């Protein structure tokens, strides 16, 4: 399990409605220009009937929200998804070109990317094959007769990308960041989170019933008798429920102390006496292990009991389900449709599945994304974009250095360590300096599902091979076309793929205020993750240790609690945000926007104040650019899923949360105490 903090994970947003309050006249919205002429703030995106000081999300994005309903094949539609769709169009062009290139050398990245895409697009072949590509593995599951054979099959399925029982792979040791050990974490569930199995409200019960019906239908599509299929579905649900009850909550998983439990193989064997780690590791072909981080010991204690308490026929049913579940999107239409009916429609509210080419582009990026990313960068990411982003990163680092140097609540010992950590940051921009080597991966024009399994096995083995070797600090955790960014506390790095270095985040033709409010805040967000409730536990070298003095830690935690309470107060559709779950992202949003504002101010040093653009000052445009990043509509089903499981707040709360606690925002828009966008308790950390 990798410890990274991303800018977004399936982010979501809807416009929230507030009761009308007395307020000053709305900030004027300038006349609309044709979209093609607009770089930065588009007045048509705004809603002049809403007061900026009452609901900044609706003020800045109300026009956009009305003009951009969610497409039928999406559960979320916003700035990020539109950019992702544009990137996917670019990747589609790349894939169509390389798949038709008869000069691509056998074994080359272009050959593998092209063949993978072609097999995904060959619906006729996929329909004809039906379950045939899985017959060998289904037969292997059917032949399981001992616990040892069960464990061997679990290992085989995990290598294929199947979420069987638990997760296993390399893990950078948290207390010795130069060492790569193994990591074992909970997993094996078909529903999104443990709470889906344990909550007792009517909606949760209904979702569980729908899941059991879905699993039964899938078994029927495999050819099982309906009565047997229904019984098998109950078996899956019962076993997964016991696993879920032993699983750690998503809030507790955010605490790196709770998920760090380094053990020797002997200690691990003592913890799980019924599981032969020797046999399991031999089946994986794993290198010698010095230690294993067992993220959730109680979970593995429960699995240890289930190995003998659950009869083998029930385990075989569970494994059949998870093999089918993992493969379903790559199988014939009946499996694809039923899989989408539950995971797309029921859980996320999406009416229609995406067209085939979109799914195949995404699958190629997920499976061999650095080979595809190399072609994407070649065609779509000019060198000057990397240069411009690098300059902005340097300005944001300077702003954070100045901030850390002057924080009144931080003592000198902690300040010195914080500045050392900042100075050790490694920025990565655009694409890797060293591309991933896919030489050992075989991709051909055979069955698509087998190409997918081989790609998963290649990645699994590549990850395992890192154990016992020096940490590769050049490695990237996101492919270049990804519209996202991340901070990794164990490598102390901030990473910005090429995919996000485009409008609305960065536009070479837009004014500085807009670029700092959008991309500058993204950069600041990732940097302050190094000092959020998780990142603050790691030092400059990436080691997990306490480097804060007790007094400074008390000061920090009081300020973090203010942010937690702020987000606890937000509510959507009768459900409150869980402040502890979103705390790291909320702190990073607050820090990122504040840093972006200060960095923008430094660009004005020694210059006259820029004239307003279409009636909007630079400061106003900066904050509008931040809100514009979070313009989005979301389906109710997905918003519920996100609020239950996602460490990122819904987008409308990200649009209003940080500005409402920054005095610079209130000054920019003339907001007064009592306005909804001026919080009584201003949460100030950075």
């Amino acid at each position: 399990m990798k410890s990274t903090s991303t800018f977004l994970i399936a982010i979501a947003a809807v416009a929230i409605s507030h009761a009308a309050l007395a307020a000053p006249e709305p900030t004027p919205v300038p006349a609309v220009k044709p979209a093609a002429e607009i770089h930065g703030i588009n007045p048509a995106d705004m809603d002049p009937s809403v007061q900026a000081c009452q609901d900044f999300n609706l003020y800045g994005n109300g026009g956009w929200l009305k003009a951009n309903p969610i497409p039928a094949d999406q559960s979320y539609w916003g700035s990020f998804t539109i950019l992702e769709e544009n990137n996917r169009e670019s990747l589609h062009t790349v894939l169509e070109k390389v798949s038709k290139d008869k000069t691509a050398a056998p074994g080359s990245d272009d050959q593998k990317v092209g063949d993978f895409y072609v097999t995904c697009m060959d619906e006729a072949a996929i329909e004809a094959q039906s379950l045939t590509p899985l017959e060998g593995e289904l037969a292997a599951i059917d032949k399981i007769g001992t616990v040892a054979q069960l464990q061997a099959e679990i290992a085989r399925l995990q290598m294929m990308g199947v979420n069987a029982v638990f997760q296993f792979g390399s893990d950078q040791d948290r207390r010795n960041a130069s060492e790569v050990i193994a990591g074992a974490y909970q997993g094996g569930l078909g529903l999104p989170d443990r709470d889906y199995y344990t909550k007792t409200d009517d909606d949760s019960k209904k979702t569980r019933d729908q899941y059991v019906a879905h699993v039964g239908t899938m078994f029927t599509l495999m050819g099982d008798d309906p009565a047997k299929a229904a019984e098998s579905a109950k078996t899956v649900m019962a076993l997964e429920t016991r696993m879920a009850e032993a699983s750690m909550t998503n809030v507790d998983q955010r605490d790196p102390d709770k998920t760090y439990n380094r053990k020797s193989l002997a200690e691990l064997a003592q913890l799980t006496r019924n599981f032969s780690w020797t046999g399991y590791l031999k089946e994986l072909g794993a290198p010698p292990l010095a230690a294993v981080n067992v993220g959730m010991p109680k979970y593995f204690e429960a699995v240890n009991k289930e190995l003998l308490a659950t009869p083998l026929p029930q385990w075989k049913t569970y494994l059949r389900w998870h093999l089918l579940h993992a493969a379903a999107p790559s199988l014939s239409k009946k499996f694809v449709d039923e899989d989408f009916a539950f995971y797309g429609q029921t859980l996320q509210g999406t009416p229609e599945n995406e067209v085939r080419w979109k799914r195949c582009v995404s699958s190629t990026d997920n499976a061999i994304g650095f080979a595809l990313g190399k072609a994407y960068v070649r065609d779509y990411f000019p060198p000057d974009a990397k240069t411009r982003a690098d300059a902005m990163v340097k300005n944001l680092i300077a702003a954070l250095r100045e901030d850390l140097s002057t924080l009144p609540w931080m003592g000198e010992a902690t300040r010195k360590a914080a500045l050392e950590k900042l100075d050790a940051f490694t920025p990565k921009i655009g694409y890797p300096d060293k591309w991933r080597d896919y030489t050992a991966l075989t991709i051909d024009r055979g069955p698509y599902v087998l190409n997918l399994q081989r790609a998963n096995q290649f990645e699994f083995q590549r990850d395992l091979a890192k154990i016992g070797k020096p940490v590769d600090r050049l490695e990237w955790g996101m492919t270049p076309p990804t519209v996202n960014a991340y901070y990794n506390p164990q490598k102390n790095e901030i990473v910005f793929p090429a995919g996000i270095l485009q409008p609305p985040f960065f536009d070479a033709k837009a004014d500085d205020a807009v670029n700092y409010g959008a991309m500058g805040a993204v950069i600041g967000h990732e940097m302050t993750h190094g000092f959020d409730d998780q990142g603050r536990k790691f030092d400059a070298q990436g080691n997990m240790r306490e480097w804060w003095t007790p007094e400074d830690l008390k000061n920090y935690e009081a300020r973090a609690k203010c942010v937690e309470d702020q987000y606890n107060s937000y509510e959507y559709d009768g459900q409150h945000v869980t402040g502890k779950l979103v705390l790291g992202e909320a702190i990073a949003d607050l820090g990122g926007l504040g840093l972006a504002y200060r960095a923008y101010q430094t660009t004005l040093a020694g210059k006259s104040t820029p004239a307003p653009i279409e009636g909007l000052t630079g400061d106003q445009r900066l904050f509008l650019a931040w809100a514009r990043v979070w313009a989005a509509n979301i389906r109710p089903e997905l918003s519920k899923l996100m609020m239950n499981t996602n460490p990122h707040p819904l987008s409308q709360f990200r649009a209003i949360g940080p500005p409402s606690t920054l005095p610079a925002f209130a000054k920019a828009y003339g907001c007064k105490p009592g306005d909804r966008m001026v919080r009584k308790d201003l949460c100030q950390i950075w």
Side-chain angles (χ1 to χ4, degrees):
M1 177 179 283
K2 309 301 183 289
S3 178
T4 57
S5 298
T6 58
F7 190 55
L8 69 153
I9 302 177
I11 56 168
V14 289
I16 56 174
S17 59
H18 294 307
L21 298 174
E25 288 300 311
T27 303
V29 175
V32 177
K33 287 185 179 181
E37 298 179 22
I38 296 169
H39 293 279
I41 303 302
N42 184 351
D45 293 339
M46 301 167 68
D47 185 347
S49 70
V50 178
Q51 308 294 323
C53 296
Q54 301 306 322
D55 188 330
F56 194 58
N57 181 49
L58 288 183
Y59 166 75
N61 296 323
W64 189 96
L65 294 169
K66 294 173 184 176
N68 288 272
I70 308 173
D73 64 350
Q74 301 290 326
S75 57
Y76 168 92
W77 193 245
S79 299
F80 283 96
T81 41
I82 291 173
L83 181 50
E84 286 170 346
E85 288 297 297
N86 291 340
N87 271 3
R88 194 152 49 166
E89 289 278 5
S90 300
L91 292 173
H92 186 209
T93 300
V94 170
L95 286 167
E96 287 290 335
K97 182 171 69 174
V98 298
S99 65
K100 295 177 175 64
D101 183 6
K102 300 184 183 302
T103 66
S108 66
D109 283 353
D110 280 358
Q111 175 265 308
K112 292 172 183 178
V113 165
D115 283 0
F116 188 96
Y117 176 73
V118 165
T119 60
C120 180
M121 289 296 293
D122 193 349
E123 292 183 90
I126 292 170
E127 287 299 315
Q129 291 153 4
S130 189
L131 276 177
T132 302
L134 300 185
E135 287 178 351
E137 213 54 49
L138 288 169
I141 293 172
D142 189 54
K143 290 177 182 177
I144 294 172
T146 66
V147 172
Q149 291 173 340
L150 169 64
Q151 293 176 180
E153 186 59 26
I154 289 171
R156 283 175 51 80
L157 291 173
Q158 288 175 350
M159 285 190 287
M160 295 177 190
V162 177
N163 182 23
V165 189
F166 61 92
Q167 301 175 37
F168 188 85
S170 71
D171 208 358
Q172 188 175 351
D173 187 75
R174 296 182 197 174
R175 297 200 184 276
N176 180 6
S178 64
E179 184 181 9
V180 181
I181 60 175
Y185 294 84
Q186 67 191 38
L189 304 180
L191 285 169
D193 179 72
R194 70 174 298 280
D195 289 354
Y196 278 78
Y197 297 85
T198 60
K199 284 186 174 181
T200 58
D201 60 280
D202 290 342
D203 282 349
S204 296
K205 292 176 182 178
K206 180 181 178 181
T207 300
R208 288 195 288 272
D209 290 342
Q210 292 170 315
Y211 176 58
V212 171
H214 164 65
V215 175
T217 300
M218 292 290 276
F219 277 132
T220 302
L221 294 178
M222 290 180 72
D224 289 0
D225 174 83
K228 178 186 176 184
E231 193 62 32
S232 294
K234 293 178 182 178
T235 294
V236 169
M237 187 66 188
L239 179 53
E240 288 187 359
T241 298
R242 295 194 293 275
M243 295 164 68
E245 289 170 344
S247 298
M248 186 180 286
T249 67
N250 50 27
V251 171
D252 282 343
Q253 287 182 68
R254 291 197 65 257
D255 188 335
D257 291 303
K258 291 181 179 179
T259 57
Y260 181 74
N261 304 281
R262 177 172 171 144
K263 296 183 182 297
S264 66
L265 281 179
E267 291 171 327
L268 183 56
Q270 186 72 18
L271 180 71
T272 55
R273 291 175 178 271
N274 300 328
F275 192 90
S276 171
W277 287 96
T278 302
Y280 170 80
L281 295 170
K282 182 179 179 181
E283 188 69 32
L284 294 182
L289 305 184
V292 180
N293 179 37
V294 183
M296 301 86 186
K298 289 184 178 179
Y299 178 80
F300 283 91
E301 290 175 358
V303 168
N304 180 64
K305 293 177 182 178
E306 291 295 337
L307 285 171
L308 297 185
T310 299
L312 284 177
Q314 293 183 20
W315 273 114
K316 289 156 70 170
T317 297
Y318 167 86
L319 294 183
R320 284 180 76 223
W321 158 241
H322 277 279
L323 171 63
L324 179 61
H325 172 46
S330 57
L331 296 176
S332 56
K333 188 176 185 298
K334 62 182 181 181
F335 293 104
V336 171
D337 289 348
E338 175 57 29
D339 178 76
F340 177 76
F342 180 73
Y343 289 98
Q345 293 176 335
T346 299
L347 289 186
Q348 299 188 50
T350 312
E352 298 176 7
N353 206 348
E354 293 179 323
V355 295
R356 186 84 194 178
W357 74 261
K358 289 186 177 183
R359 287 178 275 147
C360 289
V361 169
S362 296
S363 180
T364 309
D365 187 34
N366 290 333
I368 46 176
F370 287 93
L372 176 58
K374 189 187 295 185
Y376 169 82
V377 166
R378 184 176 62 212
D379 292 349
Y380 292 99
F381 189 63
D384 64 326
K386 190 168 186 174
T387 301
R388 293 196 304 268
D390 182 62
M392 189 173 284
V393 168
K394 290 177 180 176
N395 287 344
L396 267 295
I397 288 176
L400 182 53
R401 181 178 292 109
E402 180 181 355
D403 190 55
L404 290 171
S405 300
T406 57
L407 283 176
W409 58 265
M410 183 178 283
E412 290 309 310
T414 304
R415 192 189 316 279
K416 179 181 177 183
L419 290 169
E420 288 175 355
K421 181 170 186 176
L422 177 62
D423 289 339
F425 269 15
T426 300
K428 296 180 178 179
I429 297 171
Y431 51 87
D433 293 328
K434 181 182 73 173
W435 289 98
R436 189 160 297 177
D437 183 0
Y438 289 98
T439 302
L441 172 62
T442 298
I443 298 292
D444 55 31
R445 299 212 170 188
Y448 166 51
V449 66
L450 296 186
N451 273 339
L452 192 58
Q453 288 179 355
R454 284 196 293 266
N456 288 334
Q457 187 164 2
F458 166 84
E459 179 56 28
F460 194 98
Q461 295 294 343
R462 188 195 70 82
D463 181 66
L464 275 186
K466 294 189 287 187
I467 297 173
K469 295 180 180 177
V471 174
D472 182 1
R473 295 189 175 273
L474 295 179
E475 183 181 23
W476 279 49
M478 286 180 180
T479 64
T482 304
V483 182
N484 208 334
Y486 69 91
Y487 170 75
N488 183 335
Q490 292 176 270
K491 292 183 178 178
N492 200 22
E493 63 183 9
I494 47 177
V495 185
F496 307 99
I500 200 171
L501 299 174
Q502 304 176 70
F505 299 97
F506 189 87
D507 184 347
K509 295 182 179 180
D511 55 300
D512 281 348
V514 167
N515 282 325
Y516 274 89
M519 193 64 217
V522 174
I523 295 167
H525 172 105
E526 297 308 334
M527 292 197 311
T528 53
H529 265 312
F531 306 93
D532 68 14
D533 63 316
Q534 288 180 311
R536 70 154 193 84
K537 296 185 177 184
F538 294 83
D539 65 16
Q541 288 72 45
N543 295 305
M544 188 171 69
R545 68 176 182 86
E546 190 55 77
W547 51 272
W548 295 66
T549 65
E551 183 178 358
D552 289 338
L553 180 57
K554 183 179 179 180
N555 288 335
Y556 176 87
E557 289 178 339
R559 285 160 172 76
K561 184 64 166 60
C562 177
V563 177
E564 180 185 333
D565 291 343
Q566 175 182 346
Y567 283 80
N568 278 333
S569 72
Y570 292 144
E571 179 183 354
Y572 173 69
D573 198 24
Q575 182 176 359
H576 276 276
V577 174
T578 302
K580 281 188 180 298
L581 178 60
V582 304
L583 183 57
E585 300 302 326
I587 289 173
D589 280 350
L590 175 60
L593 182 58
L595 284 177
Y597 176 80
R598 289 194 288 277
Y600 168 64
Q601 298 305 311
T602 65
T603 69
L604 305 178
K607 303 176 184 177
S608 57
T609 302
I613 298 177
E614 298 180 320
L616 297 169
T617 68
D619 286 5
Q620 289 175 333
R621 291 172 67 79
L622 181 143
F623 290 113
L624 275 170
W626 167 258
R628 181 64 186 86
V629 163
W630 302 114
N633 286 306
I634 186 173
R635 299 191 189 278
E637 295 86 349
L638 180 60
S639 68
K640 178 183 176 182
L641 173 62
M642 289 188 59
M643 292 183 76
N644 285 334
T645 64
N646 202 312
H648 297 74
L650 293 181
S651 286
Q652 74 267 28
F653 301 136
R654 302 184 80 170
I656 66 173
S660 69
T661 197
L662 290 175
F665 170 81
K667 181 180 179 182
Y669 282 95
C671 302
K672 304 292 191 298
D675 290 341
R676 297 189 71 123
M677 286 298 300
V678 180
R679 295 188 61 82
K680 292 180 181 179
D681 297 322
L682 296 183
C683 300
Q684 295 182 320
I685 300 179
W686 314 117

